[in-house]
Amino acid sequence: MDIQQLNKQFAIPSKLFFEKGNGELTKVCLCRNDDYLEVYLHGAHITRYRQAANDLLWLSNQAEFTESKAIRGGIPLCWPWFGRKESFPELPQHGFARCSRFEVESTAEDDDGALIIKLYLNENNGTLSIWPYSFRLTLTIKLSDKLIVDLETNNTGEIPFSYSEAIHSYFSVEKIEKVELSGFTQSEYLDQLSHSTERQHNTIKFVGETDRIYKSSQQEFKILESGNPKISISQFNANSTVVWNPWISKARAMADFPDHGYREMVCIEAANTGKGITLFPGETHNIRQVIARY
Ligand code: TA6
């Protein structure tokens, strides 16, 4: 469907509409009072979420908008695997969903004025060639006085499959050195850099590259700047929470990441990592992340 057809079938006048975005990719704009969100059909990738003129998400100003690459920043969807696929290192990191074109299932405005859009991806020859299962992956975005992101996996095939996933959200901060994350105290985590298992004794502070998978006992987190809570994040049906900041050397090593961009972002990701989730035919599972300005 081209943009004109998409607007004809799914637009909600002045509130939800489709237009050409960066790289000629199709994006959807959602406008609700002072709040604004945009999402690309490429990867069902939320690139901007502004609440009352405050950008809550970080988007790289060097992000590439091409069908072959994930957009750097916003909320990439890691699915059907998080990280590298075990014993298939040649397959794309974080799976294929974030580089796939999603289609529009539906749009709506509910009785409370919340805007809702559902985007979906089914198996195709490309996905079957690297992951031999039938599925329907649906991203539901609900924009109310907060942002609710639901990622639902449905096994539409005849055989069970297992997958891992992450709602890989990049949050905007003023200065990483002033940031603390609350809600992780006493949680165990796997340090992806040292490959050791540690326990978090107080708020998370950043003094260097940080790449940790917290086993989620808690589901409510806050980003504080200079001790003041700025963004609240909650998650549901996630067995872990990934916290990542590349710091300077990793930032320099990424062409789509400004050298000093690490100072203005932190990733907090709702995830199902490790063995992940197993679905039998007909079963579904939904992982949710909720984001709001504190
Ligand atoms: O979420 C943390 C992480 O797995 C890091 O190890 C780093 O690789 C990051 O994701 C970004 O991955 P990407 O493939 O988007 O460059």
Side-chain angles (χ1 to χ4, degrees):
M1 239 190 244
D2 67 21
I3 285 183
Q4 191 179 5
Q5 291 166 319
L6 285 166
N7 277 316
K8 185 160 183 260
Q9 181 163 355
F10 296 110
I12 301 172
S14 77
K15 293 181 179 176
L16 189 155
F17 50 89
F18 299 77
E19 63 183 32
K20 274 252 179 285
N22 296 332
E24 296 290 294
L25 298 175
T26 301
K27 76 176 177 180
V28 201
C29 303
L30 284 70
C31 308
R32 178 184 173 275
N33 306 329
D34 292 344
D35 301 343
Y36 172 76
L37 179 140
E38 64 185 37
V39 53
Y40 280 75
L41 296 187
H42 172 61
H45 196 129
I46 297 172
T47 49
R48 193 175 293 281
Y49 171 44
R50 193 177 298 150
Q51 208 181 43
N54 294 283
D55 271 311
L56 274 64
L57 299 177
W58 178 86
L59 182 69
S60 169
N61 58 18
Q62 295 174 196
E64 295 171 37
F65 288 78
T66 63
E67 289 177 356
S68 60
K69 190 161 171 58
I71 300 165
R72 177 68 63 187
I75 306 183
L77 301 175
C78 305
W79 191 93
W81 57 84
F82 175 80
R84 285 283 168 205
K85 178 137 181 59
E86 218 169 297
S87 61
F88 295 92
E90 73 285 0
L91 292 181
Q93 166 148 283
H94 292 331
F96 50 75
R98 63 181 184 165
C99 285
S100 298
R101 156 111 182 190
F102 282 62
E103 300 301 334
V104 183
E105 178 180 300
S106 64
T107 57
E109 180 178 11
D110 74 9
D111 296 343
D112 302 323
L115 297 173
I116 300 147
I117 184 167
K118 286 181 180 286
L119 304 175
Y120 72 90
L121 175 69
N122 290 330
E123 77 285 349
N124 55 51
N125 291 337
T127 66
L128 287 166
S129 68
I130 53 176
W131 200 64
Y133 303 104
S134 300
F135 65 87
R136 188 176 181 96
L137 181 66
T138 308
L139 178 76
T140 303
I141 298 169
K142 181 173 182 180
L143 179 63
S144 60
D145 57 354
K146 55 195 168 197
L147 169 59
I148 301 176
V149 179
D150 281 318
L151 186 64
E152 181 187 87
T153 299
N154 181 349
N155 182 345
T156 56
E158 307 294 322
I159 52 175
F161 61 66
S162 297
Y163 67 98
S164 52
E165 60 188 345
I167 299 174
H168 192 300
S169 305
Y170 287 72
F171 293 96
S172 174
V173 298
E174 278 166 38
K175 199 181 282 186
I176 192 65
E177 293 88 347
K178 303 269 190 200
V179 165
E180 291 175 80
L181 305 184
S182 69
F184 294 91
T185 308
Q186 293 315 314
S187 290
E188 200 175 78
Y189 65 88
L190 172 62
D191 186 316
Q192 297 274 75
L193 305 174
S194 63
H195 304 293
S196 60
T197 299
E198 312 289 345
R199 187 171 296 278
Q200 188 66 36
H201 295 297
N202 40 44
T203 58
I204 301 174
K205 295 185 183 73
F206 297 87
V207 294
E209 183 182 354
T210 307
D211 194 348
R212 301 174 182 173
I213 301 178
Y214 285 82
K215 289 300 156 203
S216 282
S217 49
Q218 310 184 62
Q219 309 287 321
E220 306 263 336
F221 312 106
K222 288 191 192 72
I223 300 176
L224 301 100
E225 299 223 40
S226 307
N228 305 311
K230 295 286 180 147
I231 298 175
S232 72
I233 299 142
S234 50
Q235 61 183 43
F236 303 85
N237 301 330
N239 69 16
S240 31
T241 310
V242 183
V243 174
W244 180 56
N245 185 291
W247 219 252
I248 186 142
S249 54
K250 279 285 172 61
R252 279 198 181 124
M254 293 182 276
D256 60 354
F257 201 116
D259 290 358
H260 295 286
Y262 73 95
R263 305 193 67 191
E264 296 157 358
M265 54 70 66
V266 62
C267 283
I268 301 171
E269 310 158 31
N272 282 300
T273 57
K275 289 197 308 302
I277 302 290
T278 297
L279 292 181
F280 283 79
E283 290 186 327
T284 62
H285 179 275
N286 185 78
I287 182 172
R288 168 176 288 188
Q289 188 177 59
V290 181
I291 301 168
R293 187 156 171 72
Y294 199 77

